[in-house]
Amino acid sequence: MSALKPKSYGDGDASFQAAGGEAGIRQLVDNFFDRMGSDKRFITIYELHPEDKETSRDKLARFLCGWLGGPKLHEKYGAIGIPRVHAHLPIGEAERDQWLTCMSESVAEQPFEQSFKTYLMEQLYVPAEAVRRRCAREIQA
Ligand code: HEM
């Protein structure tokens, strides 16, 4: 049964539900930013963020709700293309990996099913790598 599970997380709002809905996603994002701000391994990406980290938390949480098949709460801030909103930032492999490591350690602490934790991190690699590629293009230009 568990072998079939990862497939179904892409259906409808299955991922949003597996993450515990908006409350579960906000808990994950709070853990992610708390970790980023308190662990020196993530200082580079923490300092790339604007001063107002409350807005950063809110934006990421709202984005993830829609991205995981739940309500499109990020519309409050307007339309968004993930690579584009990062294009002005110096994000290479090291920064991409800081983001993914920080997120993966936060995901590990959530009360999600193990199969969803694995699925979520596989899915997050895709936009994280798209961000890195977009930023590399920007540096060359
Ligand atoms: C690849 C590593 C990444 C790094 C280092 C990074 C870092 C940042 C930084 C520094 C900002 C603030 C930008 C600014 O206001 O100037 C930001 C914004 C944001 N990031 Fe990332 N990010 C990464 C990947 C991702 C991924 C994979 C997602 C989504 C799955 C994401 C979602 C967002 C969202 C929703 C915002 C807010 C955009 C807005 O509405 O202004 N980021 N990120």
Side-chain angles (χ1 to χ4, degrees):
M1 181 176 130
S2 63
L4 290 173
K5 252 185 182 164
K7 271 190 183 162
S8 66
Y9 287 130
D11 294 345
D13 72 348
S15 288
F16 177 70
Q17 298 301 342
E22 183 180 349
I25 290 168
R26 287 201 183 269
Q27 201 170 301
L28 167 65
V29 169
D30 279 340
N31 185 307
F32 173 69
F33 274 98
D34 288 349
R35 182 180 313 275
M36 205 199 290
S38 61
D39 187 323
K40 284 199 171 63
R41 289 176 298 154
F42 309 125
I43 193 159
T44 313
I45 61 167
Y46 189 71
E47 290 186 345
L48 288 178
H49 285 83
E51 199 66 33
D52 177 11
K53 304 291 191 300
E54 286 312 308
T55 302
S56 296
R57 286 174 195 243
D58 189 49
K59 284 180 167 178
L60 182 58
R62 284 169 180 271
F63 174 80
L64 289 176
C65 284
W67 190 72
L68 293 173
K72 305 219 173 306
L73 304 177
H74 191 271
E75 281 171 0
K76 173 182 173 189
Y77 296 111
I80 185 177
I82 287 296
R84 183 178 48 79
V85 296
H86 296 83
H88 61 295
L89 298 168
I91 298 176
E93 275 185 31
E95 291 75 18
R96 177 202 65 193
D97 290 346
Q98 275 187 30
W99 195 97
L100 287 169
T101 301
C102 186
M103 182 57 86
S104 133
E105 290 179 9
S106 295
V107 165
E109 286 182 4
Q110 303 310 304
F112 304 160
E113 276 192 41
Q114 187 53 48
S115 59
F116 180 65
K117 293 180 181 182
T118 305
Y119 171 84
L120 180 57
M121 289 315 303
E122 283 170 4
Q123 295 302 306
L124 283 169
Y125 179 83
V126 178
E129 172 58 7
V131 165
R132 185 200 65 77
R133 289 169 68 103
R134 177 63 199 262
C135 295
R137 228 172 73 200
E138 215 62 34
I139 290 163
Q140 279 163 18

